[in-house]
Amino acid sequence: MKLNDLTGLKELSDLIYFQCKDCGLDGEIPNWISTIGKLQYLSLSKNSLVGDLPQEIENLNDLIHLDLSDQLSRGGTGLTGNILSFSTNSVLSELYLYKNSFNGNIPNNILETTDTNLSVKIDLRRNDLDGDLPDFTRFKDLTLLLAGNRINTISEEIYCPDAEESRKDWNSGDLKKFGCDGLMCRPHSFNSIGRQSNGPYGPCEPCDVEGEAKFWGSTHCGLSDHQTFLKDFFISLDGGNWYQSHHWLEDDDICNWFGITCNDSKEVIKIDLENNGLSGSVPESIYNIQTLVSINLKENDIDFAFGGIKDLGSLDYLGLSETGVTTLAGIGQATSLTNLHLTNNNIKDIPDEFYNLINLEELYMNYNNIMGEISSKIGQLTKLKEFYLFNNKLEGKIPTELGLLQDLEFLILGRNLLTGQIPPEMNDLVNLKVLDLEGENGAKTLGLGYPLDRVEGTEKGVGLSGSLISFNNMPNLTELYLGSNSLDGPIPSDFLAGVSDKNGLIKVDLTLNDISGDLPLTLKEFNRMNLFLAGNAIDDIDESFCSLYNWMNGEVGINGCDSILCPKGTYNKYGRQLSNISPCMSCPFTYTAPNLGSISCAADTTDYSEREILSKIYESTGGITWVNKDNWVEDSVPICNWWGVHCASEDDDQAPEVVVQLKLASNNLEGTLPPQVFQLKNLKVLNIRDNDVDVDFLSIGEAISLEELYVDFTKISKLDGIGSAPQLEILRLEGNEFKGSLISEEIFSIDSLRELNIAESQFGGSLSTEIGNLSNLVNFFCHGNDLTGELPTEIGQMQNLEILVLSENRFIGTLPSEIMNLKNLETLFINSFTRNHAGLTGPLPSFQGMNKLRDIFLNSNSFTGTIPANFLNDLDNYELPIAIDLKSNRIEGNLPSELSRFSYLKIDIADNFITGIDEKLCRMSSWMSGSVDKFGCDAILCPAGTFNQYGRQSTEGAPCIPCQGSGESVKLGSTMCELEVKKEERLILEALYIACGGDNWKKKFGWLDPDIDICHWYGISCRDGGILDSILLGSNNLVGTPPRSIFKLRNLKWLWLYSNPMDFKFDGIGDATQLTSLLLDSTGLKSLDGIGDASQLTDLDLRFNKIEGPIPAELSNLINIEKLSLNDNKFTGSIPSFSRLKNLKSLRMGGNMLQGTLPDFATHTKLNTLDFSENRLSGPIPPTLLNNVHYDETIFIDLSSNTLVGDIPAALSRFDRMTLLLRDNLITGVGTGLCDKKNWNDGDVSTYECDGILCPPGSYASGTGRASKKGNECIDCEFTKYYGQSTCEPSKSSATSSNFASMTAILVAVVTFLMF
């Protein structure tokens, strides 16, 4: 944008302050700038302004600050001509004209009328000013910066006396301290800033190079000052905090400095400081090192300007990926560049000057925000071999000029917003190996192996369109990615016909287009093709394709054509069978999939009558076996007379006979409710509760009148689509089985809801912050699920809420203060009876301001502190009954007398740490349903030293019983005596000693000694010196079976019995409600029966045992487990998804006999450690592996010694820190970008690149299959055909796979012979 275009500024006559720094302005400064007569502050630095300064700018008489510095760095020629004197600007004290192209002398009368008592700053550095320095001695406090010009002389008598008191403050005292050097270095001397200062830049150094440093203020001395420039570089980029800075500023030989490479003449030719903690602005003095060939500053937080890059005439490589670059202004001067890396920055446009880089061979600009069209000038870059613009915001058509880039090998333009047809000129790119034009329609879930999700178009269009061209003139093509566009028509018969190596692996992605017709038979010429076609309109695959055993990474040899495309009438999220655990599934009743490779099924869109819809419901849900089916499907009976059908006419004779209610509760419906039920346009109530029926909600948006939906106690397991219900007010989902899945976010988008019941439905995870969207909700029932985590503060936004029931979950943290915003709340339940865990913590709130809250049930949590004196003191009526349950928390102190304000209080506060009751409360005769009138204080809490099972007396037959012995607790409301607990614990431990051969234990101090407290027995520890909480007897020669009573130790948290030859049983483990850590590794364990009852476990170690068979399903009940170790057993079968184990962080199952494919664990958000090494896993590594784990986690994955196939997914590159072990599989490739992950494998990838992940085919590394800093190297080996082999011999896996394929081929041939 030209500054002259901002004409609206002329109208702002009162404008005082205007700044437009680095905002893309160009052109000349207009004369009308002087019309803004009151302007005091004008800053236009770091733009691309040109031309002379207009004389009119001197008419700005109120101007105090003028900054026009640096008009060069963004690629312009800068401001030119002579500097104005500004002699009439009497208040101008800050003048910044640094880094332009001003020439001539500095005016003698510059700032002539400026008040000499002001602090004046003048910056004229980096121009072409010459001549003598005028007299500035009239100023007392002056900062004068002049380096980098051609100043010939200054008056040393005026400027340089060391003791001149009147100029002691010049240049922050540098003039007084260093004489003339504090102003400018004398001719034939220099430093990096052109003067000596108190800063870190040092004195002015002598320059003996002929013809160099001829003027005052020189900043360099030919090639002899590389050390000075690097010192400036180090200081400017916070060198003291670099990760590595060996020898910098310490060794006189700069060639020894970390990251610096010199030629034989000791001249610096390379700077390589990638990912080294650099921060700040790269100083322009770096451009004075004119011998530089390569600069690599990737992955640093720096500001890089290209303004002086023209001086680096030999620069070949420039690496600035992940540095924060925002503009390419000035880059057109770097005409020697052949390699340019700018990935993952914030660049928004490519300037025309960019196409001056005609020597470029490699260009990487992925993951920026580049907008606009690809210029036709791209055809000028004829030397390009690798061109990457992946994931930007490019629009428009692909320019035909790309066909001129005959040397191109990699063209990566995917995930932009390109439109139009693929130009046929692209077929002329005969050297192309990889072409990526995927996802031009805005799709984000892309990549081979990902679940597919069709994007119907964005604001920018639908991607590339038109017919698929044949690409038949590309002999070297191995990868073609065109998925998620709008290409149509059939696949050409000569598609890829020109590929020369038809035995090599070729990957083709055409998913999610509109391609139709049959698969051309000519494709059978390819021996190893991975062809992805799902989500199109493919009609047929010839049966002969089903025997191409090497296709799809060998999956066709296992699953036939289903591995290419799902058959008609079936679907899955991949559109093909990916493994045994993702088969092609039949479409639900009344849904269809008319094409091959469907990723979803479409509902029947026929416009049915109400009778037809009801008939479909009857047929699809087993109407013949309904409990009551009176009049159903009777042709002679009106549908309004069918049992359970209610019409509007029943309530109003004048109303039409349309169905408004369908009530079929508890009627033995089975199957799936047809989606046509939502076509009943007048239906207000649908009640099918208590039936074995499933419901698909994808069409619920058609139910425009539906207000009440009762689907509780049915067979619903997913809620996709339910958020589109337009009028729903009541939704009851109680009693379904969602198997640990998160509560669908769609529910929280139904803002019309007034009642929501999702209780007892096996929901897991945390309660979403989106809950706050339900601002109209009155009743919310969510009890009896497996919800964890903290309650979201957004719960306070539901200000119409009257009933909130969250009991029997596993919430933690404090009760959010925002809950006090629920002024209409009457009932609050967040308690527990069956689930022993810490629960909510923190001080008990007062609930002040909540004037309707009368029922509070918070028992079995961990609330602390005292009961506030103002507890519920804002209730609007103290005379109404109030129920408070705070039993089994950690509340202490006295019951305050202020509670006497309540006339009819029922409070249960037993099993806390209450030490007193105000006597006034013991006279509240109506409290506790009248029990206080009978039993006094005992009706509230049992006195200290007594107990009963309730902690209080409520009847004559249940008095508070004295505890035997001394030393009892002083707390009130005990439900048992501590002495009794200790006796019980001793008896259990004695039973353990006897049952497990205690006499032969290695260590047994104190055991069975009646005079020694059990807390001092070997291996036993107690909480607070009292209650037993740990048994730590690992490797102590325990034998036999521990008694079941061990689980009766009610406070037991840690049970470590590892490395003992025993026969452990899990019977009764559910009684150990506090048990969190169980270590039974190396015990000879053979069975896990009963382990599922230990739902409170967080750490379970069962390694090195003898457990056989499939992984038991009951492990999925361990919903709190964080660390699960099952290595080195004899588990068989497939790996479950463990989807209910939401807290899982570490899963180790190496050294078993597990088979099938590797799950992606995509629902887990905390899982960072996976070990499935030394099993029998097959198939590819899922691209979605750990898809929901945060990218900043440190990841450990060991999949060594399996038979996994295909490439390592490029999607794993989102993790910055990973240890990935994959030796001895059947890996055929390493995904794009993985070899750049410098922090992977303890930095081995930084040192060895791809070899640090896996050795390539034709090589091996003994024991590891990869190179590492521990001495492993990739050594040539003719036998290895796959990545990551650890021995130099023919792969057993390869031989097995080859034999299987051969045997299958022979079997097919024999069968064919017999048939004919």
Side-chain angles (χ1 to χ4, degrees):
M1 177 191 299
K2 296 188 181 300
L3 179 58
N4 198 38
D5 294 337
L6 302 178
T7 54
L9 290 173
K10 292 191 290 185
E11 309 300 324
L12 304 177
S13 58
D14 293 327
L15 187 66
I16 295 175
Y17 184 103
F18 180 56
Q19 176 174 302
C20 194
K21 177 182 177 182
D22 196 14
C23 52
L25 297 176
D26 56 21
E28 298 183 356
I29 299 175
N31 296 336
W32 53 256
I33 196 78
S34 64
T35 64
I36 314 175
K38 296 183 179 180
L39 201 60
Q40 297 179 13
Y41 186 105
L42 177 60
S43 175
L44 301 173
S45 62
K46 291 192 175 183
N47 285 291
S48 299
L49 301 174
V50 296
D52 296 353
L53 284 180
Q55 194 76 34
E56 289 78 2
I57 204 169
E58 292 187 314
N59 296 332
L60 297 173
N61 294 324
D62 293 336
L63 197 63
I64 297 172
H65 175 106
L66 176 62
D67 187 352
L68 300 173
S69 57
D70 193 6
Q71 305 298 327
L72 290 175
S73 293
R74 303 306 182 261
T77 58
L79 296 170
T80 54
N82 294 326
I83 290 178
L84 299 177
S85 68
F86 300 100
S87 59
T88 62
N89 302 79
S90 60
V91 294
L92 182 61
S93 59
E94 297 181 5
L95 178 62
Y96 301 98
L97 302 176
Y98 157 75
K99 200 176 180 183
N100 279 287
S101 298
F102 291 113
N103 53 38
N105 296 336
I106 301 172
N108 287 323
N109 60 341
I110 189 169
L111 300 186
E112 184 176 50
T113 62
T114 296
D115 187 345
T116 59
N117 291 314
L118 294 175
S119 176
V120 178
K121 297 178 176 62
I122 303 174
D123 188 352
L124 303 177
R125 291 172 298 155
R126 292 290 303 274
N127 282 281
D128 294 319
L129 302 172
D130 54 22
D132 300 339
L133 185 65
D135 184 358
F136 286 98
T137 57
R138 60 187 177 278
F139 295 113
K140 296 179 180 179
D141 184 0
L142 175 67
T143 298
L144 181 60
L145 306 178
L146 292 163
N149 285 284
R150 293 184 293 148
I151 305 297
N152 291 312
T153 59
I154 69 172
S155 174
E156 297 198 36
E157 292 78 9
I158 294 176
Y159 288 108
C160 303
D162 293 342
E164 181 58 57
E165 186 65 23
S166 63
R167 291 185 291 284
K168 62 183 177 63
D169 294 325
W170 277 31
N171 284 2
S172 300
D174 290 342
L175 188 68
K176 178 175 177 57
K177 185 172 184 179
F178 304 115
C180 272
D181 284 1
L183 183 63
M184 286 185 286
C185 291
R186 290 178 171 82
H188 307 296
S189 67
F190 75 103
N191 71 12
S192 60
I193 61 171
R195 70 182 185 89
Q196 187 171 0
S197 75
N198 279 316
Y201 300 98
C204 299
E205 303 286 348
C207 177
D208 299 327
V209 180
E210 186 176 353
E212 295 291 337
K214 295 185 296 182
F215 303 105
W216 287 83
S218 293
T219 58
H220 62 279
C221 179
L223 298 178
S224 65
D225 55 338
H226 288 187
Q227 183 174 14
T228 301
F229 300 136
L230 290 179
K231 180 179 180 181
D232 187 19
F233 183 87
F234 183 85
I235 294 169
S236 300
L237 296 173
D238 196 19
N241 288 312
W242 290 1
Y243 303 149
Q244 297 188 62
S245 57
H246 306 314
H247 302 298
W248 277 77
L249 309 189
E250 297 174 358
D251 193 328
D252 288 338
D253 187 352
I254 59 176
C255 301
N256 292 331
W257 293 7
F258 174 79
I260 301 300
T261 302
C262 299
N263 59 19
D264 293 340
S265 301
K266 295 290 185 177
E267 297 166 333
V268 177
I269 58 173
K270 290 184 180 180
I271 300 176
D272 187 354
L273 294 169
E274 180 175 348
N275 190 22
N276 200 43
L278 282 67
S279 64
S281 297
V282 176
E284 294 176 3
S285 59
I286 200 68
Y287 295 135
N288 294 323
I289 307 179
Q290 297 177 7
T291 52
L292 275 172
V293 175
S294 174
I295 301 176
N296 182 10
L297 303 177
K298 293 179 182 177
E299 299 182 53
N300 288 292
D301 184 15
I302 59 176
D303 182 17
F304 192 96
F306 299 95
I309 203 168
K310 63 182 178 181
D311 295 331
L312 301 183
S314 300
L315 190 65
D316 177 76
Y317 177 95
L318 180 58
L320 295 174
S321 295
E322 298 186 59
T323 57
V325 172
T326 59
T327 176
L328 299 180
I331 199 171
Q333 304 169 85
T335 54
S336 61
L337 278 178
T338 64
N339 289 265
L340 179 58
H341 293 251
L342 293 165
T343 291
N344 203 10
N345 285 299
N346 196 27
I347 300 168
K348 295 182 178 179
D349 68 322
I350 301 177
D352 282 349
E353 64 173 303
F354 185 87
Y355 302 103
N356 296 336
L357 307 181
I358 58 175
N359 290 304
L360 274 183
E361 297 179 7
E362 296 181 10
L363 174 59
Y364 291 80
M365 299 178 71
N366 303 324
Y367 297 99
N368 280 279
N369 290 298
I370 301 171
M371 297 180 283
E373 299 185 0
I374 302 175
S375 172
S376 60
K377 293 182 180 180
I378 192 66
Q380 298 173 196
L381 307 185
T382 56
K383 295 183 180 180
L384 268 183
K385 295 180 180 179
E386 300 183 15
F387 184 20
Y388 289 80
L389 274 172
F390 188 78
N391 204 341
N392 281 282
K393 297 178 180 178
L394 294 166
E395 303 173 17
K397 297 181 178 180
I398 299 173
T400 58
E401 288 78 6
L402 275 175
L404 301 175
L405 309 185
Q406 292 291 297
D407 290 341
L408 263 185
E409 297 178 3
F410 296 86
L411 178 57
I412 314 297
L413 303 177
R415 293 204 196 182
N416 282 284
L417 299 168
L418 300 174
T419 56
Q421 299 184 3
I422 300 174
E425 288 81 359
M426 293 189 70
N427 204 26
D428 297 332
L429 302 177
V430 295
N431 289 301
L432 203 62
K433 297 177 180 178
V434 178
L435 174 60
D436 187 342
L437 298 172
E438 65 178 283
E440 303 297 351
N441 65 358
K444 297 303 179 186
T445 52
L446 297 174
L448 303 186
Y450 278 95
L452 301 177
D453 184 13
R454 180 177 291 278
V455 175
E456 299 298 342
T458 67
E459 295 176 359
K460 301 296 184 182
V462 293
L464 300 173
S465 57
S467 300
L468 178 65
I469 67 174
S470 64
F471 299 103
N472 63 355
N473 191 35
M474 295 181 171
N476 299 301
L477 193 66
T478 59
E479 298 180 32
L480 176 63
Y481 303 98
L482 301 173
S484 293
N485 283 288
S486 297
L487 301 172
D488 55 25
I491 300 174
S493 60
D494 59 344
F495 185 62
L496 304 180
V499 173
S500 58
D501 183 8
K502 291 185 170 61
N503 288 318
L505 177 64
I506 185 165
K507 302 176 183 178
V508 179
D509 178 14
L510 300 174
T511 54
L512 299 175
N513 280 281
D514 297 314
I515 297 170
S516 57
D518 302 346
L519 206 58
L521 293 173
T522 51
L523 292 180
K524 291 168 54 182
E525 297 177 12
F526 292 94
N527 180 42
R528 295 176 62 209
M529 175 175 275
N530 292 347
L531 177 61
F532 299 89
L533 266 173
N536 284 285
I538 301 298
D539 188 61
D540 190 33
I541 298 179
D542 189 86
E543 189 175 342
S544 57
F545 282 95
C546 306
S547 58
L548 298 176
Y549 301 114
N550 292 323
W551 272 42
M552 310 306 289
N553 287 326
E555 294 173 31
V556 173
I558 301 172
N559 299 312
C561 278
D562 284 10
S563 293
I564 303 174
L565 291 174
C566 285
K568 294 179 180 180
T570 70
Y571 78 105
N572 69 20
K573 59 186 177 181
Y574 305 100
R576 67 184 190 90
Q577 182 166 353
L578 187 63
S579 64
N580 292 332
I581 62 173
S582 61
C584 299
M585 302 176 292
S586 297
C587 289
F589 178 73
T590 74
Y591 281 73
T592 182
N595 301 309
L596 299 175
S598 293
I599 60 174
S600 62
C601 298
D604 184 353
T605 58
T606 306
D607 187 13
Y608 293 103
S609 68
E610 289 191 332
R611 178 178 287 270
E612 289 172 326
I613 293 172
L614 294 175
S615 297
K616 280 185 173 294
I617 294 172
Y618 183 86
E619 294 166 5
S620 61
T621 60
I624 193 67
T625 61
W626 287 4
V627 174
N628 195 326
K629 53 182 182 293
D630 292 351
N631 296 328
W632 274 77
V633 297
E634 293 288 345
D635 293 339
S636 60
V637 179
I639 60 173
C640 295
N641 293 334
W642 294 8
W643 185 86
V645 178
H646 299 269
C647 296
S649 57
E650 295 180 25
D651 301 319
D652 183 356
D653 292 340
Q654 304 302 315
E657 290 193 351
V658 293
V659 178
V660 292
Q661 296 186 28
L662 185 58
K663 297 182 177 180
L664 299 173
S666 304
N667 203 39
N668 199 35
L669 276 69
E670 296 181 338
T672 300
L673 194 72
Q676 287 79 12
V677 68
F678 298 121
Q679 293 180 16
L680 296 170
K681 302 298 184 184
N682 299 285
L683 187 66
K684 294 184 177 181
V685 178
L686 176 59
N687 186 348
I688 56 169
R689 70 179 307 273
D690 192 24
N691 286 289
D692 288 340
V693 67
D694 194 5
V695 181
D696 189 321
F697 295 104
L698 294 176
S699 304
I700 199 172
E702 299 179 48
I704 57 176
S705 301
L706 188 63
E707 297 174 354
E708 301 178 22
L709 178 59
Y710 303 89
V711 287
D712 38 325
F713 300 99
T714 58
K715 294 296 183 183
I716 293 172
S717 59
K718 60 180 181 179
L719 298 172
D720 297 352
I722 199 166
S724 59
Q727 301 292 335
L728 203 58
E729 296 182 5
I730 297 177
L731 175 59
R732 293 187 181 174
L733 283 164
E734 182 180 5
N736 283 288
E737 297 182 5
F738 290 94
K739 299 180 179 178
S741 63
L742 299 174
I743 302 172
S744 172
E745 295 280 317
E746 292 195 47
I747 288 181
F748 304 126
S749 67
I750 312 175
D751 56 11
S752 55
L753 280 178
R754 299 183 72 252
E755 180 179 324
L756 175 60
N757 190 333
I758 54 176
E760 304 286 351
S761 289
Q762 298 181 20
F763 283 115
S766 58
L767 187 59
S768 171
T769 57
E770 299 298 311
I771 187 72
N773 295 336
L774 303 183
S775 57
N776 292 306
L777 202 63
V778 175
N779 300 331
F780 182 32
F781 301 92
C782 190
H783 52 280
N785 287 292
D786 290 318
L787 299 179
T788 59
E790 298 185 81
L791 291 172
T793 58
E794 288 77 6
I795 208 165
Q797 298 172 16
M798 300 191 292
Q799 296 193 15
N800 287 301
L801 208 59
E802 296 178 3
I803 298 176
L804 176 59
V805 182
L806 301 174
S807 306
E808 298 295 324
N809 283 287
R810 300 182 187 277
F811 293 117
I812 58 174
T814 59
L815 192 64
S817 60
E818 288 78 4
I819 206 165
M820 308 307 169
N821 297 333
L822 305 181
K823 304 302 183 184
N824 291 299
L825 196 65
E826 299 175 1
T827 300
L828 174 63
F829 280 75
I830 316 179
N831 58 339
S832 179
F833 293 101
T834 65
R835 305 187 183 193
N836 291 281
H837 66 114
L840 299 176
T841 57
L844 179 69
S846 68
F847 300 104
Q848 193 170 11
M850 304 178 76
N851 59 0
K852 297 181 180 180
L853 186 58
R854 301 189 174 280
D855 295 307
I856 302 177
F857 288 75
L858 299 174
N859 55 286
S860 299
N861 283 286
S862 297
F863 286 108
T864 58
T866 61
I867 296 179
N870 60 346
F871 188 73
L872 289 179
N873 70 338
D874 288 330
L875 282 184
D876 50 15
N877 190 340
Y878 294 153
E879 300 300 319
L880 294 177
I882 299 168
I884 309 295
D885 189 345
L886 300 173
K887 185 177 182 179
S888 300
N889 279 277
R890 303 185 68 80
I891 298 169
E892 57 190 21
N894 297 338
L895 287 189
S897 62
E898 288 82 358
L899 293 180
S900 63
R901 71 174 74 94
F902 305 120
S903 298
Y904 298 95
L905 178 64
K906 187 174 183 179
I907 183 169
D908 190 347
I909 197 167
D911 197 19
N912 278 277
F913 296 91
I914 301 298
T915 54
I917 303 176
D918 189 283
E919 291 185 5
K920 188 175 183 180
L921 303 183
C922 301
R923 298 191 294 271
M924 301 297 294
S925 59
S926 297
W927 275 28
M928 310 301 287
S929 301
S931 294
V932 173
D933 187 40
K934 297 179 181 179
F935 309 115
C937 284
D938 286 11
I940 303 173
L941 289 173
C942 284
T946 69
F947 78 104
N948 70 19
Q949 67 181 104
Y950 309 107
R952 58 186 173 84
Q953 184 173 3
S954 57
T955 66
E956 295 285 353
C960 298
I961 306 169
C963 291
Q964 300 299 317
S966 59
E968 289 298 331
S969 171
V970 295
K971 71 178 184 179
L972 283 62
S974 294
T975 56
M976 66 181 308
C977 292
E978 290 186 8
L979 183 61
E980 297 301 317
V981 174
K982 297 282 282 189
K983 288 180 180 178
E984 182 182 356
E985 289 175 345
R986 177 179 283 268
L987 289 174
I988 293 172
L989 291 181
E990 289 174 349
L992 173 65
Y993 184 89
I994 294 168
C996 294
D999 289 343
N1000 295 316
W1001 290 359
K1002 297 179 182 177
K1003 297 180 180 180
K1004 52 186 176 182
F1005 173 80
W1007 281 77
L1008 305 190
D1009 189 328
D1011 297 324
I1012 298 178
D1013 190 290
I1014 61 171
C1015 295
H1016 301 298
W1017 292 7
Y1018 172 79
I1020 303 300
S1021 65
C1022 298
R1023 184 187 66 212
D1024 302 326
I1027 306 300
L1028 183 152
D1029 65 0
S1030 302
I1031 299 177
L1032 311 177
L1033 293 172
S1035 192
N1036 201 42
N1037 199 35
L1038 276 72
V1039 297
T1041 301
R1044 175 172 177 162
S1045 59
I1046 197 172
F1047 300 127
K1048 294 291 185 179
L1049 296 169
R1050 64 191 67 204
N1051 293 289
L1052 182 65
K1053 292 184 177 180
W1054 295 278
L1055 179 57
W1056 294 3
L1057 301 176
Y1058 57 86
S1059 300
N1060 286 297
M1062 62 196 318
D1063 183 16
F1064 192 90
K1065 304 293 183 185
F1066 296 99
D1067 297 339
I1069 196 171
D1071 295 331
T1073 57
Q1074 301 296 315
L1075 186 63
T1076 59
S1077 181
L1078 178 59
L1079 308 188
L1080 296 174
D1081 44 310
S1082 301
T1083 57
L1085 190 68
K1086 296 180 180 179
S1087 172
L1088 296 182
D1089 290 350
I1091 187 65
D1093 293 332
S1095 60
Q1096 69 286 348
L1097 280 177
T1098 61
D1099 181 9
L1100 177 61
D1101 191 342
L1102 303 176
R1103 296 172 298 156
F1104 308 110
N1105 282 300
K1106 301 176 181 179
I1107 311 169
E1108 300 181 354
I1111 297 171
E1114 59 181 309
L1115 280 176
S1116 292
N1117 293 336
L1118 308 184
I1119 58 174
N1120 290 298
I1121 201 74
E1122 298 177 3
K1123 184 178 179 182
L1124 179 58
S1125 301
L1126 302 174
N1127 305 55
D1128 296 285
N1129 282 281
K1130 297 181 181 180
F1131 287 112
T1132 57
S1134 60
I1135 303 171
S1137 65
F1138 292 117
S1139 59
R1140 293 189 66 199
L1141 309 186
K1142 302 298 183 182
N1143 296 306
L1144 197 60
K1145 297 178 180 178
S1146 173
L1147 178 59
R1148 294 181 178 271
M1149 303 187 72
N1152 285 286
M1153 295 181 286
L1154 298 168
Q1155 297 177 321
T1157 57
L1158 178 69
D1160 61 7
F1161 300 105
T1163 61
H1164 293 79
T1165 60
K1166 303 176 182 178
L1167 188 57
N1168 56 35
T1169 300
L1170 278 179
D1171 180 4
F1172 287 101
S1173 59
E1174 298 184 27
N1175 279 284
R1176 301 173 183 178
L1177 303 180
S1178 58
I1181 300 171
T1184 49
L1185 185 64
L1186 303 183
N1187 205 38
N1188 279 317
V1189 176
H1190 195 271
Y1191 67 88
D1192 203 31
E1193 284 280 353
T1194 298
I1195 305 297
F1196 176 91
I1197 299 176
D1198 189 352
L1199 302 174
S1200 303
S1201 299
N1202 283 283
T1203 55
L1204 299 170
V1205 300
D1207 294 358
I1208 306 174
L1212 292 178
S1213 65
R1214 69 190 190 88
F1215 294 113
D1216 289 330
R1217 296 181 299 279
M1218 175 183 282
T1219 297
L1220 180 62
L1221 308 179
L1222 281 169
R1223 61 173 171 79
D1224 297 330
N1225 280 283
L1226 307 179
I1227 302 298
T1228 53
V1230 177
T1232 305
L1234 300 186
C1235 302
D1236 297 327
K1237 305 306 292 184
K1238 305 300 183 183
N1239 295 322
W1240 277 28
N1241 287 355
D1242 295 324
D1244 288 341
V1245 177
S1246 176
T1247 304
Y1248 302 104
E1249 297 182 337
C1250 287
D1251 286 3
I1253 300 175
L1254 289 177
C1255 293
S1259 67
Y1260 81 105
S1262 179
T1264 61
R1266 68 179 186 89
S1268 75
K1269 294 189 287 289
K1270 295 180 180 179
N1272 304 91
E1273 297 181 0
C1274 295
I1275 304 170
D1276 290 344
C1277 174
E1278 62 177 319
F1279 298 114
T1280 56
K1281 306 300 182 186
Y1282 298 99
Y1283 283 80
Q1285 300 307 301
S1286 65
T1287 59
C1288 184
E1289 58 185 30
S1291 169
K1292 295 180 181 179
S1293 299
S1294 176
T1296 302
S1297 177
S1298 176
N1299 291 339
F1300 173 78
S1302 300
M1303 291 170 61
T1304 305
I1306 293 170
L1307 181 59
V1308 171
V1310 170
V1311 171
T1312 304
F1313 174 79
L1314 292 174
M1315 289 177 64
F1316 294 95

